[in-house]
Each structure stands twice: as structure tokens, then as C-alpha cells.
Amino acid sequence: DLRGRLASRGQLAGVLRNGALELDLRARELAGEVNGHSVAGDMAARISPRGIDVTESIVRLGDNTARLQGHVGDLMNFDLTVELDDLGQLLPALAGAASGRLSLRGTPGLPEVNGEVVFSGLGASGAMLDSAAVRIAGSAGEHSLEAHITAYDTNIVAEARGALNANGWSGRMTRLEFDNPLAGQWVSRDESDLQVTTDLSRLAELCLYRTGTSGKMCLGGALAAEGKAAFDLTVAGLPIAALPIELPAGVSVSGLASARFTVARVNEQLRADARFELADTAFDAVYMDERVVLALSEARGQASIVNNRLDSSFRVALADGTGLATATFVVPDIGADQFLVSGNSDIEVSDASL
């Protein structure tokens, strides 16, 4: 929602040259305010049978600046640069800064595009990216896309190539990689089909492999315009310490997690299945200046949702047969405003010591 006022002095001059009209248009001393931020600028263009020529034109809104110059005719040579030092002045819901460039070359019907936008401190709805860079190169019929994102101690690199068509965009994800101090480095080895249209968004199965280990993660899914959806995620060999869980101060955990999640939504009904297993799991802490280690020989669980009914079960066993805990929980209708939970649990500890 942009509100404000703008004023400018305009100048228009024309000449008839060899039977063709040429116009010089200039907007000078552009001034005013939008959403409480000052606006200033200067723009100039020449319109002739050869096309439109824009000399260096500049517009400033608060701490944000855009510059435009180039030619559009039978051939294009067009450049746009932006320095956006405060995105919140343009869109109050955003925070951070950005800079970018975009160049258009070739013919108007099939332009060659080369551009890059770099964000820093980008935030929205409580989420924050330390930095992000998006690059595009090529034409509408064939181009490459590249994104680099850093957030929450994680570096993500994604690359794709594809083309625009009558229905949207289709192509292939050529590279996906993320690196985290706890999870390690995960890299894709093979390409995967990627499609984004007005009717369907789909990613064929794409697998990432953890560098130097047997860890593997595969994901894929589709989302249709009528609300149908299906997603599948399989993980093996993920360090438990990398999971988004909070442990008490002074407590650490080691081991590897494996899991599979499948979700489908058809006719407004949700169907989901989740299974997980932990291997070589141990909790390590210091209590009263003494080191305490709790090792598990088994930890697994499963949960499923069918027709709004949740069924789940869990099993945890201590090392050396010193303890066992099992539990089951059922929610007959998770879609109700208030729902009942039923279940049972058993805990057995024998000959355990810390």
C-alpha cells in the first residue's frame, strides 16, 4: 500500500526529421513523498522511429535508488541498477537491504537477460536471512538460475536451468547443496525435473548425500491448483544434534537419525505417515561435577493420520537391557476444535546405574 504525493516539471520538445517525428521527453525535479519518505529524481527519454533511448535516469525514494539507461528498438541495450539500503521504506513488511543489476540485450521478442540481486539482513514475518544472492542468465527460451542463501548458520546453494512456456516454467534442478556445522555438508549428485505452472508445481525426487559418510536425504513432491498435494522426505544418517530440538543447558546428544515422512491431501482430507529411528544414541551431561552418560540401544516411533485420526507409537530401550519404555497415543479427530487423546505407556527399569 503506497501513499503519498509527487510533483515534477516536465519538458516536451519535438522535431520532424525526414518525415519522421522525434520527441524529447524530460521529467525534471521530481519531488514529493511516498509513505512518509522523500522522493527525488530526474528522467529523460527520446522517442524516434529507431526506438526509445533513455539517458541516465535516476529515482530516489528515501534511502533507495534506481538508475535506468539504454535503448529499446529493433535491438535492445538496456541496463537497470538498484541500491536499496532500506527495504522497509518500500515494503513495510520487509527488513534489510538489497542491491542489484539487470541488463537486457538482443531483440524485444527474445531478449538476453543477465541479472543479479544481493540481499543482506533480509527479514519478514519473524524469519531472517543473513544474506542471499539470486542470479539469472539467458533468454526466456533457455536460461539458468542460481541462488546462494546464508541463514541460521546454514549455507544453501541451488542451481536450475529451464525455460518459460505457455503454462509457466519447466526445467531441471541441477544442483542443491547445504552446509551446517552440526548437520555437515549435503550435496546432490544427479539432476531432477522441476516444474512450476499455473496448475501444478512439482519436484521429482532429488537426493542429497552427506559428504564423507553414508548419510542420504531424498525429497520430492507436487502441489496442484485444486488443492491436491503429495510430499515425500526420506532421511538416513542425519546427526541428531542437527535436529531442531532444545536440550537443557549442559546436555549434549550424539547419534544418527533416520526417518521417512509422506503427506498427501486429496478432497480436503489429509493423509500422512511418519517413521523415525535413532542409532548409536547417547545423552551426555555433567551433574554434581560428575559426567553422566545415558545410552540407548533402540529408539523408534511411528505416527499416521487417516481421515483426521492420529495413531502413534514409540519405543525406547536403554543399553544393556537396563530399561524399556513404550507408549501409544490416539487422537480420534484432530480436526475438531477440542479433541480427545487416549493412549497408554509402560516403563520398565532393571539393574540400571549412572
Side-chain angles (χ1 to χ4, degrees):
D1 186 14
L2 299 178
R3 296 184 180 182
R5 56 181 179 82
L6 296 173
S8 176
R9 292 183 181 183
Q11 183 178 5
L12 178 64
V15 61
L16 192 64
R17 195 187 310 275
N18 297 327
L21 180 64
E22 294 184 4
L23 296 176
D24 285 310
L25 174 64
R26 188 173 185 89
R28 303 183 61 186
E29 299 177 11
L30 176 65
E33 71 172 38
V34 173
N35 288 354
H37 304 291
S38 62
V39 177
D42 190 4
M43 294 175 286
R46 169 170 289 183
I47 304 173
S48 70
R50 295 184 300 275
I52 301 174
D53 289 278
V54 179
T55 58
E56 184 172 357
S57 299
I58 183 170
V59 177
R60 294 187 178 91
L61 191 156
D63 298 318
N64 306 291
T65 304
R67 291 181 171 84
L68 183 66
Q69 66 178 10
H71 170 81
V72 177
D74 293 337
L75 294 175
M76 291 197 310
N77 189 337
F78 216 69
D79 293 288
L80 170 68
T81 61
V82 294
E83 293 290 339
L84 309 178
D85 294 334
D86 190 345
L87 292 172
Q89 295 176 352
L90 299 174
L91 297 171
L94 291 180
S99 62
R101 58 172 182 79
L102 178 67
S103 65
L104 300 176
R105 303 288 187 269
T107 64
L110 192 62
E112 291 288 328
V113 181
N114 194 302
E116 178 184 42
V117 180
V118 179
F119 298 92
S120 61
L122 182 62
S125 301
M128 179 69 71
L129 303 181
D130 298 327
S131 65
V134 180
R135 302 181 181 92
I136 181 172
S139 66
E142 183 179 359
H143 53 262
S144 62
L145 298 167
E146 182 178 339
H148 293 250
I149 299 172
T150 301
Y152 305 105
D153 293 326
T154 300
N155 297 313
I156 301 174
V157 178
E159 296 178 2
R161 67 171 185 269
L164 292 173
N165 50 53
N167 296 322
W169 187 92
S170 61
R172 296 181 68 80
M173 179 74 76
T174 58
R175 178 189 178 195
L176 182 61
E177 175 183 331
F178 77 87
D179 191 353
N180 177 277
L182 295 177
Q185 184 184 48
W186 297 70
V187 182
S188 62
R189 297 176 182 172
D190 303 306
E191 298 182 359
S192 177
D193 290 336
L194 179 62
Q195 180 182 9
V196 181
T197 70
T198 55
D199 300 322
L200 178 69
S201 297
R202 182 181 69 89
L203 173 66
E205 185 179 66
L206 176 67
C207 293
L208 306 177
Y209 299 85
R210 187 174 180 227
T211 303
T213 72
S214 60
K216 182 179 180 181
M217 179 187 306
C218 298
L219 66 156
L223 176 64
E226 63 269 22
K228 295 181 180 179
F231 298 95
D232 187 282
L233 172 64
T234 303
V235 180
L238 177 67
I240 300 173
L243 297 175
I245 55 177
E246 290 190 16
L247 295 174
V251 178
S252 62
V253 61
S254 60
L256 300 175
S258 298
R260 180 170 185 179
F261 305 92
T262 59
V263 180
R265 186 175 185 271
V266 180
N267 298 327
E268 299 185 355
Q269 290 292 322
L270 179 67
R271 185 183 185 95
D273 186 79
R275 300 175 185 274
F276 78 89
E277 182 175 355
L278 307 181
D280 302 324
T281 307
F283 294 88
D284 197 318
V286 175
Y287 178 73
M288 301 291 290
D289 296 327
E290 294 289 339
R291 185 187 178 201
V292 178
V293 178
L294 179 64
L296 307 181
S297 63
E298 180 184 3
R300 65 178 69 223
Q302 66 86 29
S304 62
I305 300 175
V306 178
N307 295 329
N308 285 343
R309 175 187 170 93
L310 170 66
D311 291 275
S312 62
S313 63
F314 306 91
R315 177 183 174 90
V316 177
L318 299 181
D320 301 323
T322 55
L324 176 66
T326 60
T328 60
F329 297 97
V330 176
V331 180
D333 187 1
I334 61 172
D337 293 334
Q338 295 182 343
F339 51 80
L340 298 175
V341 179
S342 62
N344 63 76
S345 62
D346 293 297
I347 299 177
E348 176 184 336
V349 177
S350 59
D351 195 24
S353 62
L354 298 178

